[in-house]
Amino acid sequence: MVAGDGIGKEVIPNALEAVRASGAAVDFTMFDWGADRYLLDGTTIPADGFQMLARDFDAIFVGALGDPRVATNIHAKEILLGMRFKMDLYANVRPVRLLDSSLCPLKNAVPEDVNFTVIRENTEGVYMDMGGLFKSGTPDELATQEDINTRKGVERVIRFAFDYARSHGRKKVMMSDKSNVMTYAGGLWQRVFKEVAKEYPEIQTQHMYVDALCLQMVREPRSLDVIVTNNMFGDIVTDLAAALQGGLGMAASGNIHPGRTSMFEPVHGSAPPIAGKNIANPMGSILTAAMMLAHLGETIASQKLEDAVLDAVREKKTTVDVGGSLGTRECAAWIAERVAR
Ligand SMILES: NC(=O)c1ccc[n+]([C@@H]2O[C@H](COP(=O)([O-])OP(=O)(O)OC[C@H]3O[C@@H](n4cnc5c(N)ncnc54)[C@H](O)[C@@H]3O)[C@@H](O)[C@H]2O)c1
């Protein structure tokens, strides 16, 4: 467990109380990696940190990383992007589910309208830090940022999306890209998607340009099922998706490499302006813990957490961002108590 920075330090320990209450057979080890540790002794992640995580743990539960005192954000990059890239956690799974109509900004939306999953490619794209500057600082300055798409990377995340659909009783997989203008990368995604789809004849396929997908997410989210897309588009559309489910405080995610140690984190960041005030919503972290427990085979405990969060929403035992009046600790304690019952 790496609570990290800002509100991560509040929501993760509180989510842990709900996990403990669920009776799941899991032990936690806490690591103090984050801005405080970095500012103390310069450690971002210890030298053998990723090997140790992969060797000694079944899953990693992370809060958020990012702190205004570390302007370069180096610790966050090394810890968080390090886990994603160096542990090769290539599928970022972001379920988007509306628990209660009151949480959705769309007029008259009901829970059945918003129930889809975004699978975001997590190890390539424009996040590879490839590119450069030419004539930097002059009026002729030029900047490039390269978008990396490998056959292997594209194929494995598309296959993951189809496997996910199959194992979760989903009927459709949509691939979203911008192949009308990003013809080389988009062309690769298009070809691989069509090839892999042949192995899953029972799953319907769809394609949408990512701009059209944004429109669809707002106008007709009910039509969406499983969406697979690249790293950057996945990053962007899942913030919009988070809004449909009640905001960043409600959104959960897993960074998965099947068969390896995977990492689970709420979608939100460290939210420095609200940190330390006992107002951050812990439900995204509790739903993330539920995802992690399901991944570890603790399906009953996972369901208990999900049910208790749903009860909290219905009974307005929530933080203010989703319409309640409880603090972080009080909301998490209410959920833990409901889980225990
Ligand atoms: N995975 C991560 O660790 C991650 C993700 C995004 C941003 N960050 C980092 O977090 C820092 C802040 O980034 P940001 O402001 O763009 O995004 P953010 O998610 O931290 O906050 C965005 C907005 O959402 C609200 N919010 C977020 N989580 C909430 C919660 N649980 N309860 C209630 N309100 C919540 C915040 O008040 C804020 O208005 C930056 O350093 C950034 O790099 C980290």
Side-chain angles (χ1 to χ4, degrees):
M1 183 162 109
V2 180
D5 302 331
I7 62 170
K9 290 192 279 193
E10 297 170 77
V11 292
I12 294 294
N14 277 296
L16 191 58
E17 294 308 313
V19 175
R20 289 211 172 98
S22 75
V26 285
D27 292 325
F28 282 90
T29 301
M30 181 93 82
F31 292 99
D32 65 351
W33 305 335
D36 291 342
R37 173 75 186 272
Y38 175 69
L39 292 169
L40 190 71
D41 66 7
T43 302
T44 54
I45 182 153
D48 69 339
F50 299 121
Q51 293 92 314
M52 181 265 298
L53 291 172
R55 187 185 60 230
D56 299 342
F57 294 90
D58 297 310
I60 314 165
F61 188 29
V62 177
L65 289 143
D67 188 303
R69 294 171 299 165
V70 185
T72 57
N73 219 19
I74 179 75
H75 70 299
K77 278 187 199 145
E78 292 197 2
I79 298 167
L80 201 63
L81 295 184
M83 283 177 192
R84 289 181 185 168
F85 298 159
K86 295 198 174 143
M87 299 181 76
D88 204 25
L89 305 178
Y90 65 86
N92 189 334
V93 180
R94 297 186 165 188
V96 184
R97 195 154 62 94
L98 177 62
L99 296 180
D100 189 78
S101 304
S102 64
L103 298 179
C104 190
L106 301 181
K107 221 187 313 171
N108 304 325
V110 293
E112 293 72 28
D113 288 327
V114 182
N115 183 1
F116 60 93
T117 301
V118 179
I119 313 280
R120 165 188 174 192
E121 202 294 318
N122 216 21
T123 54
E124 302 193 342
V126 294
Y127 292 68
M128 293 299 95
D129 208 19
M130 287 180 69
L133 292 174
F134 177 57
K135 297 190 178 176
S136 183
T138 75
D140 296 325
E141 184 161 358
L142 176 150
T144 61
Q145 192 85 43
E146 293 177 12
D147 180 22
I148 307 302
N149 297 265
T150 68
R151 164 84 206 197
K152 176 184 155 193
V154 173
E155 184 175 331
R156 67 183 182 174
V157 77
I158 288 176
R159 182 161 279 112
F160 182 98
F162 279 101
D163 285 337
Y164 180 94
R166 197 175 252 177
S167 62
H168 288 75
R170 298 282 191 169
K171 301 202 161 31
K172 295 183 279 190
V173 175
M174 173 193 290
M175 194 275 282
S176 186
D177 62 16
K178 193 68 186 158
S179 52
N180 46 347
V181 285
M182 299 171 73
T183 50
Y184 308 112
L188 176 64
W189 278 79
Q190 292 275 355
R191 272 183 282 121
V192 175
F193 183 63
K194 285 184 187 128
E195 277 177 38
V196 173
K198 288 185 191 141
E199 298 168 29
Y200 301 83
E202 79 281 16
I203 310 279
Q204 289 173 48
T205 58
Q206 297 175 302
H207 171 263
M208 257 191 190
Y209 297 128
V210 69
D211 43 348
L213 172 61
C214 290
L215 184 82
Q216 187 80 348
M217 281 171 65
V218 173
R219 287 206 10 193
E220 210 191 338
R222 194 185 272 247
S223 66
L224 305 171
D225 204 347
V226 175
I227 300 162
V228 60
T229 189
N230 73 17
N231 207 338
M232 171 162 265
F233 297 150
D235 189 354
I236 297 168
V237 300
T238 52
D239 263 36
L240 173 50
L244 298 178
Q245 40 179 164
L248 282 167
M250 297 301 297
S253 80
N255 299 263
I256 315 264
H257 186 131
R260 294 198 195 170
T261 303
S262 292
M263 186 265 275
F264 297 81
E265 53 171 343
V267 172
H268 65 73
S270 56
I274 64 165
K277 297 183 176 161
N278 194 40
I279 53 177
N281 185 345
M283 291 194 285
S285 294
I286 296 172
L287 292 169
T288 299
M291 259 184 103
M292 180 173 68
L293 292 180
H295 181 81
L296 293 171
E298 290 277 353
T299 44
I300 294 172
S302 168
Q303 194 62 51
K304 282 185 195 171
L305 294 191
E306 288 204 357
D307 291 348
V309 170
L310 183 58
D311 287 350
V313 169
R314 286 188 178 146
E315 297 183 31
K316 288 264 177 291
K317 301 293 181 189
T318 65
T319 44
V320 286
D321 57 307
V322 284
S325 59
L326 299 183
T328 309
R329 283 189 295 277
E330 293 70 25
C331 172
W334 190 94
I335 292 170
E337 198 267 333
R338 182 55 62 100
V339 168
R341 261 206 266 161

